[in-house]
Amino acid sequence: MTQAMRIDGGMVDRSRTLSFSWNGRWMTGYHGDTLASALLANGERLVGRSFKYHRPRGIFTSGSEEPNALVQLREGAAQEPNTRATTIELFEGLNATSQNHRGTLAFDLMAANDLLSPFLSAGFYYKTFMWPKAFWEKLYEPLIRASAGLGRLPMQPDPDVYDHGFLHCDLLVIGAGPAGLSAALAAARSGLRVILADEDFVPGGRLNAETHEVDEQSGADWAAAVTAELAGNGNVRLMTRTTVYGAFDHGIYGALERRTDHLADAEDRPRQVLWRIYSRRALLAAGATERSIAFGNNDRPGIMLAGAVRAYVNRFGVAPGRNIAVFTNNDDGLRTAEDLSGKGIGISAVVDTRQGNTVVDTIGRGGIRAIRLGDGRRVEADCLAVSGGWSPNVHLTCHHRGRPVWNADVVGFVPGGELPPGMSVAGAANGTMSLAAAIREGHGAAVGIAEDLGAERPPGTPAKAADESFAAAPFWQVTGLRKRAWVDLQNDVTTKDIRQSHQEGFRSVEHLKRYTTLGMATDQGRTANVLGLALMAESAGKSIEETGTTIFRPPYTPVAIGAFAGRARGKHFRPHRLTPSHKWAEENGADFMEAGMWLRAQWFKRPGEKGWRDSVDREASRVRKSVGICDVTTLGKIDIQGRDAAEFLNRVYANAFLKLPIGKVRYGLMLREDGICYDDGTTARLSESHFVMTTTTANAVLVFRNLEFARQCLWPDLDVHLISTTDGWAQFAVAGPNSRALLSKVVDDLDLSNDAFPFMACAECSVFGGTPARLFRISFSGELAYEIAVPARYGDSMIRALMKAGEEFDAVPYGTEALGVLRIEKGHVAGNEITGQTTARMLGLGGMLSRSKDAIGLKLSGREAMNEDDGMRLAGFRPVDRSVILTAGAHFLNPGDPADMAHDQGWMTSVAYSPELGTSVGLGFLKRGTDRIGETIRAYSPVRDQDVLVEVCSPHHVDPDGVRQRG
Amino acid sequence: MIINHPLLGPRDAAEFVVLGDACLIDRPDGMNSASEEMHDYAYVRDNPAGEHRELWYHEQGDRSWLVVTRSTLTHDVIKVELARDVARARGRSR
């Protein structure tokens, strides 16, 4: 094809021809075209199908408000549905296809919906599909799902890269039309740091689409000259292809910059950047959006907003038709006829409602061929330019719940109520509709802001232009129609739907919106809302002021989820923290699991082991028989120093800490203020004023935060200081009967005998001839055990050296699974038991609660309901049939009782296979559990379909008297 | 949202963790108060439409706890103080 509709003039570069594919056919356009202008140049009028009725649709606008021309852009994984042809810049090789039809675009099988339209009016989905009930899941829902939606996702991961960025400025100017350019120029000349953002790829706004003069040159030339001056000013950041999509708190604006969408190949550069702009002031100069008039069959391809017709003719050098009719209620629409005749394009009719003339119907199924006038005459036309007036783009003024107000002079809603702090509005967005006034208002706003911010007054005066007439008389719909008339093209809302909404009682604007879906499509009804409200007002016999308007939320235009995600996707969404022994563990067959953000080894597979149980059983057994080593660096470590450190600890732990001797470690229990346990750990006293606390891995951040709260907010004058040292020290548990022998080879000059370094002792020492270290004799496994810490940079060397020193004992590394087995065998509580719902008494730790001091949570832990004698208590469980594997989450029942919550006796919290005992063992909470040792009860798990008898026993399955850990 | 940190100047709210009502500073002494008083401290909060004093923690920053006086209607930040100073002014010490 040869661009048959291309005419002279415009801002496209005819020396740069671009080839593109539309529904598999190759066409050409020029650099500077949008996909829409290139399609029109090639005479393509039918570009899509409507959402509900699958009506043929054409290009309706020339900007981001486009309701009809949504296409699938690009191919494969990069394919993007619902892209507006009117905003896509043409590039070499562009590939676009139409969407929302079955069969070809011209013969859409779903067009049958149009014949069913009497049954598909507003609210049809609330009324139909209601019965028979059984049909919903099998018939209605699959049918609706198959026909819903517009474009199709590629169902592959997005191959593009998105970035986030942060910018700061004195003044953010939103929109680079006449008001925005004039404001940015004045602000830049006064020395302010200015960001000027516009969604288009050429600054100028309507100046590029009209034939106005500014400062005795064409509007487009003036815009280019101003843009050039701004681009040369170091204080100005000129951002084209950038949509400011939201106004947030405290002068923060969200903006989406499309960096490579206009390029054939992004060459791995970020496709889009989501900017967070911190502004001292913002000026909204977003212009206005034209709206349509409701008349019969007003949705056919070839029917276009008058301003869009002028944009295609003046900016893109494309004639949307050869014989164009104009239908308007205002002087701005009439200018279309002037521009068309200036280009030598045929005009078949000018229909001005103010002279009592109307268009009642249009003819031509796949595209308009003729119009029918109110007096019955038929007039041939291959394009109809419609103008129902302009609606100021007030969207961003609503983002803090500002409510626009009706202005009868401009026949539109203008900004009203409270604007977001720091925002002002100028130009058409403010209801200042004529060119000279918009330029003056932009300039004046910038001068005022400069003065406000203490900058100097800019030299110069606003550019000169004429004040063209925008006189308009409200005219919303042609009445007495027999044909359907569309209001919201994208969601297929007609005048009948709005009347019906009123008749059925959905009369407030908010109900109207939700019942008819007016304005709820991807274009947020930018060409439709005001028309819909006006029709509702007419139905109700009220004024538009009384009827009011709905307001807008971010985003102004759709923002891809990928842009919000930015780089935070895949493994970067939640980065892993690696332990100091991670590399060594990888080399030694470790299988890793996530613990918070950490990756921890859960077991180390050895040759010949068939499943994880083989590895875990071996590791746990070796610890009990000889010695094992486990990286416990992930436990939270908090360094606590100060003259009042002991007093501080005594107030944040529920048990006593004031008299912990130097060189000793104590187990501590932390409560929330409501008396429930939330964390446990050990704290070592290294000197009079120096303690080292450990927390659970999961609560390390929370405990630290709470300690800072206690220190700063509750007892601000205690002399105590905190620092997190979790990442500072690599820490290893060395557990098992041979742990002392192993560590004796490692630790320098420290007597490890039971008398010199007993259970719960600690010391600062050194290892391997001078490497600083800390040694703690604590045991989570119940065996003779230690934890040894070295500065994290020695962690990798330390694990290798420890394993080498352990060779003679056949020391094994053990992972979190074996760690779990050992602690369940020993009856130590962990996250499965300290769930944020359990009390110290339930955990068997009630005796730890001090009654002679005040500490966080102690007071409320004494409440009656938390101390009932028949409450849940921690107990141990073993299957009566020793070969049964127990199930965590199973509920306990007395034998013979029905399996319901009324007879519930408690639940199993942790289970493990104990290689030491040769049977599955469990921990759990059982009513009066401590008093029921020896009883046989049911462990019932409907989820796992298990119902077994278990014997209640002490939670300390192994070494209940604690002989081994003290040995 | 921006919080004007008394020591570090304006910082983005994303650097902070919010805890809630600043009345949490006024913790009763557990040894010399009725259970009811501690109960109210743990559970009872006002939910004002308008000015609200809140505790914010600069977790991704200097770890200061701040008392931010903020309007729940407009999100205006009216005043920002170090919680330690507020606690001292309310008679808390050791």
Side-chain angles (χ1 to χ4, degrees):
Chain A
M1 285 181 88
T2 54
Q3 303 191 43
M5 302 303 282
R6 189 67 74 173
I7 56 172
D8 286 344
M11 298 168 65
V12 292
D13 182 352
R14 286 173 169 73
S15 68
R16 293 169 72 183
T17 303
L18 303 172
S19 304
F20 69 99
S21 164
W22 167 245
N23 278 343
R25 284 181 297 141
W26 285 91
M27 305 178 181
T28 59
Y30 295 127
H31 184 81
D33 263 326
T34 60
L35 175 60
S37 68
L39 286 170
L40 288 170
N42 286 280
E44 291 293 318
R45 296 205 296 169
L46 171 62
V47 298
R49 289 280 173 169
S50 75
F51 178 56
K52 200 156 88 177
Y53 302 127
H54 291 255
R55 299 262 296 182
R57 290 286 168 80
I59 292 157
F60 189 64
T61 73
S62 59
S64 65
E65 68 272 31
E66 177 62 33
N68 284 345
L70 305 183
V71 301
Q72 305 259 146
L73 186 64
R74 299 182 191 259
E75 297 158 279
Q79 189 174 80
E80 193 171 25
N82 305 339
T83 313
R84 296 173 299 269
T86 48
T87 61
I88 300 166
E89 262 177 84
L90 201 65
F91 55 83
E92 179 60 34
L94 179 151
N95 183 341
T97 51
S98 53
Q99 59 184 36
N100 202 35
H101 50 82
R102 250 180 247 165
T104 66
L105 175 58
F107 300 99
D108 177 7
L109 299 171
M110 295 291 283
N113 278 8
D114 201 24
L115 303 174
L116 299 173
S117 63
F119 307 103
L120 298 177
S121 62
F124 76 96
Y125 38 78
Y126 300 129
K127 299 171 187 162
T128 43
F129 311 124
M130 300 298 287
W131 45 260
K133 204 177 167 191
F135 275 31
W136 175 250
E137 215 169 287
K138 295 211 166 57
L139 182 66
Y140 297 147
E141 197 190 356
L143 264 179
I144 292 169
R145 281 193 187 282
S147 56
L150 290 164
R152 298 271 172 237
L153 288 167
M155 305 309 284
Q156 294 172 54
D158 188 339
D160 292 313
V161 175
Y162 300 84
D163 252 334
H164 286 177
F166 301 84
L167 294 171
H168 296 258
C169 64
D170 295 319
L171 175 62
L172 168 65
V173 180
I174 302 159
L181 283 173
S182 162
L185 190 63
R189 284 175 176 172
S190 73
L192 293 182
R193 287 183 309 154
V194 177
I195 293 174
L196 174 60
D198 194 283
E199 61 181 358
D200 205 335
F201 53 96
V202 185
R206 287 301 301 175
L207 289 172
N208 296 323
E210 306 285 6
T211 49
H212 299 311
E213 284 201 350
V214 182
D215 270 355
E216 287 154 16
Q217 52 191 324
S218 79
D221 286 348
W222 178 78
V226 172
T227 303
E229 179 177 337
L230 293 172
N233 185 321
N235 282 331
V236 178
R237 188 179 181 113
L238 190 62
M239 302 177 78
T240 52
R241 303 185 179 97
T242 302
T243 305
V244 177
Y245 66 81
F248 302 98
D249 285 329
H250 305 159
I252 299 172
Y253 289 81
L256 182 74
E257 183 180 17
R258 292 167 292 276
R259 296 292 281 266
T260 64
D261 282 356
H262 61 294
L263 303 175
D265 183 0
E267 291 166 348
D268 295 330
R269 283 171 293 177
R271 180 188 169 209
Q272 298 178 343
V273 181
L274 194 79
W275 294 103
R276 188 183 291 197
I277 301 175
Y278 296 81
S279 70
R280 294 172 75 192
R281 295 285 188 281
L283 181 67
L284 180 69
T289 301
E290 204 169 16
R291 56 183 181 252
S292 188
I293 296 172
F295 55 94
N297 286 313
N298 62 344
D299 68 328
R300 296 197 193 284
I303 299 174
M304 194 180 282
L305 290 171
V309 169
R310 297 201 296 282
Y312 289 117
V313 168
N314 294 325
R315 173 174 170 179
F316 297 102
V318 172
R322 296 182 200 284
N323 190 29
I324 300 179
V326 177
F327 183 28
T328 181
N329 69 350
N330 64 78
D331 288 357
D332 192 65
L334 289 181
R335 240 185 316 282
T336 313
E338 290 168 32
D339 286 7
L340 291 174
S341 46
K343 295 280 182 180
I345 298 168
I347 300 166
S348 64
V350 176
V351 185
D352 190 333
T353 59
R354 293 170 296 180
Q355 294 162 354
N357 300 324
T358 55
V359 176
V360 294
D361 194 9
T362 66
I363 296 124
R365 172 102 186 131
I368 187 171
R369 290 200 313 274
I371 58 174
R372 175 102 41 212
L373 302 184
D375 58 14
R377 271 189 301 148
R378 174 186 162 120
V379 177
E380 300 303 307
D382 58 356
C383 172
L384 176 61
V386 184
S387 180
W390 291 77
S391 305
N393 286 330
V394 298
H395 306 68
L396 267 71
T397 69
C398 301
H399 286 182
H400 291 193
R401 297 203 67 76
R403 204 162 270 280
V405 293
W406 182 252
N407 180 322
D409 291 340
V410 301
V411 197
F413 283 98
V414 296
E418 283 185 30
L419 300 184
M423 181 193 281
S424 40
V425 193
N430 203 29
T432 305
M433 305 309 270
S434 73
L435 178 58
I439 290 175
R440 275 198 307 275
E441 191 172 54
H443 181 90
V447 170
I449 289 164
E451 193 180 342
D452 216 23
L453 296 179
E456 60 190 66
R457 195 181 169 80
T461 53
K464 287 184 191 60
D467 269 322
E468 79 285 11
S469 166
F470 61 93
F475 186 89
W476 308 105
Q477 62 173 331
V478 179
T479 49
L481 292 174
R482 279 176 303 159
K483 306 290 170 135
R484 277 175 295 163
W486 267 259
V487 178
D488 183 331
L489 291 170
Q490 193 167 118
N491 261 353
D492 268 341
V493 180
T494 65
T495 53
K496 183 188 153 204
D497 295 323
I498 290 171
R499 281 197 302 276
Q500 188 184 335
S501 172
H502 177 259
Q503 280 160 10
E504 297 186 0
F506 298 96
R507 293 174 189 183
S508 95
V509 289
E510 300 291 347
H511 287 156
L512 166 71
K513 172 178 166 176
R514 284 156 185 84
Y515 193 61
T516 64
T517 71
L518 170 75
M520 291 175 73
T522 66
D523 64 345
Q524 289 198 50
R526 281 169 61 191
T527 59
N529 284 340
V530 173
L531 179 53
L533 300 174
L535 297 182
M536 176 52 95
E538 281 187 8
S539 290
K542 287 193 202 166
S543 69
I544 295 177
E545 273 159 302
E546 288 171 302
T547 306
T549 177
T550 54
I551 60 174
F552 302 91
R553 291 184 270 238
Y556 177 65
T557 52
V559 179
I561 299 290
F564 285 115
R567 302 268 178 177
R569 48 189 283 197
K571 64 179 180 178
H572 300 294
F573 176 69
R574 203 160 176 267
H576 283 134
R577 298 171 77 181
L578 302 182
T579 62
S581 67
H582 186 84
K583 188 163 177 289
W584 178 88
E586 272 182 334
E587 292 165 12
N588 285 275
D591 203 283
F592 294 97
M593 54 95 72
E594 290 185 358
M597 292 177 83
W598 293 96
L599 278 188
R600 295 189 73 179
Q602 48 183 350
W603 55 78
F604 296 80
K605 190 176 177 179
R606 288 221 173 141
E609 289 177 342
K610 290 191 184 67
W612 65 273
R613 263 282 305 282
D614 287 354
S615 310
V616 173
D617 288 357
R618 170 184 49 77
E619 289 169 16
S621 299
R622 289 304 299 164
V623 171
R624 296 246 183 261
K625 290 194 176 67
S626 178
V627 60
I629 297 166
C630 181
D631 190 325
V632 293
T633 303
T634 63
L635 294 180
K637 306 182 203 74
I638 301 171
D639 204 79
I640 301 171
Q641 299 195 43
R643 279 190 299 277
D644 295 322
E647 175 64 32
F648 179 75
L649 286 166
N650 203 44
R651 296 182 192 185
V652 296
Y653 273 131
N655 51 319
F657 262 84
L658 209 48
K659 292 181 180 137
L660 177 66
I662 293 166
K664 282 287 189 186
V665 187
R666 186 168 289 172
Y667 175 76
L669 190 63
M670 276 189 200
L671 308 183
R672 299 191 308 232
E673 199 65 270
D674 64 3
I676 300 285
C677 294
Y678 90 94
D679 203 63
D680 66 346
T682 58
T683 290
R685 188 168 204 171
L686 298 179
S687 77
E688 181 65 28
S689 60
H690 188 188
F691 294 77
V692 176
M693 174 187 283
T694 67
T695 73
T696 61
T697 300
N699 280 333
V701 170
L702 180 64
V703 169
F704 190 83
R705 186 187 301 161
N706 291 347
L707 294 186
E708 281 291 0
F709 172 80
R711 189 179 81 90
Q712 295 177 41
C713 301
L714 301 183
W715 306 298
D717 291 330
L718 282 184
D719 180 31
V720 59
H721 297 271
L722 313 171
I723 189 163
S724 166
T725 57
T726 304
D727 294 281
W729 294 84
Q731 193 151 321
F732 299 94
V734 181
N738 282 322
S739 57
R740 180 182 288 127
L742 193 161
L743 281 171
S744 299
K745 298 169 64 181
V746 169
V747 176
D748 306 329
D749 312 321
L750 187 67
D751 182 357
L752 292 185
S753 70
N754 207 30
D755 291 341
F757 201 77
F759 183 54
M760 298 307 258
C762 69
E764 291 181 285
C765 59
S766 65
V767 293
F768 296 115
T771 301
R774 288 170 177 173
L775 186 65
F776 312 90
R777 191 171 158 192
I778 51 182
S779 176
F780 199 41
S781 56
E783 296 299 322
L784 169 68
Y786 303 81
E787 288 187 15
I788 182 135
V790 292
R793 63 184 177 280
Y794 300 118
D796 181 73
S797 310
M798 187 67 178
I799 184 67
R800 292 171 200 275
L802 281 173
M803 290 308 299
K804 193 159 178 54
E807 271 171 14
E808 65 178 277
F809 311 105
D810 194 14
V812 293
Y814 66 100
T816 53
E817 274 299 323
L819 187 86
V821 169
L822 295 165
R823 74 101 189 160
I824 293 167
E825 284 179 339
K826 179 63 186 169
H828 280 312
V829 291
N832 289 17
E833 288 77 33
I834 305 179
T835 59
Q837 296 170 308
T838 49
T839 63
R841 209 158 168 211
M842 284 174 73
L843 294 164
L845 303 173
M848 288 179 68
L849 300 186
S850 170
R851 291 292 163 215
S852 59
K853 68 167 185 178
D854 180 24
I856 306 278
L858 270 184
K859 183 96 181 175
L860 295 186
S861 74
R863 284 182 289 175
E864 207 175 316
M866 288 158 74
N867 291 282
E868 284 164 352
D869 289 332
D870 62 349
M872 296 287 175
R873 297 288 180 271
L874 186 76
F877 303 89
R878 291 182 207 177
V880 171
D881 173 356
R882 296 292 196 230
S883 67
V884 163
I885 297 294
L886 296 174
T887 299
H891 275 251
F892 300 126
L893 295 164
N894 288 325
D897 275 356
D900 55 29
M901 284 312 288
H903 295 86
D904 185 43
Q905 295 290 306
W907 65 96
M908 192 90 81
T909 55
S910 299
V911 297
Y913 178 79
S914 165
E916 176 88 353
L917 301 172
T919 179
S920 185
V921 297
L923 299 176
F925 293 109
L926 178 66
K927 270 186 190 164
R928 298 183 293 102
T930 329
D931 306 331
R932 294 170 69 176
I933 289 172
E935 274 187 36
T936 296
I937 56 170
R938 279 166 73 194
Y940 173 64
S941 173
V943 179
R944 295 282 178 86
D945 197 21
Q946 192 184 48
D947 192 353
V948 294
L949 290 175
V950 295
E951 176 192 323
V952 183
C953 57
S954 155
H956 311 296
H957 296 280
V958 168
D959 189 24
D961 300 326
V963 176
R964 297 185 191 179
Q965 65 195 14
R966 291 190 175 80
Chain B
M1 184 173 160
I2 293 169
I3 293 173
N4 197 5
H5 191 301
L7 303 176
L8 303 174
R11 312 298 310 176
D12 195 279
E15 295 174 8
F16 293 83
V17 173
V18 66
L19 178 63
D21 197 326
C23 72
L24 282 169
I25 289 175
D26 300 321
R27 181 179 185 275
D29 181 339
M31 299 304 278
N32 299 299
S33 62
S35 289
E36 289 70 22
E37 211 182 324
M38 192 63 92
H39 169 275
D40 289 355
Y41 170 76
Y43 293 109
V44 181
R45 304 282 183 276
D46 283 339
N47 183 22
E51 229 172 84
H52 192 220
R53 283 159 63 80
E54 297 170 345
L55 282 161
W56 290 71
Y57 177 52
H58 199 200
E59 189 150 82
Q60 307 296 325
D62 74 340
R63 305 182 334 237
S64 288
W65 277 94
L66 306 179
V67 174
V68 176
T69 307
R70 194 175 71 89
S71 166
T72 57
L73 294 177
T74 64
H75 297 184
D76 272 347
V77 172
I78 296 144
K79 191 157 79 171
V80 186
E81 303 154 277
L82 288 175
R84 182 190 293 269
D85 293 343
V86 173
R88 282 184 181 132
R90 297 187 67 78
R92 303 199 72 88
S93 178
R94 291 173 59 79

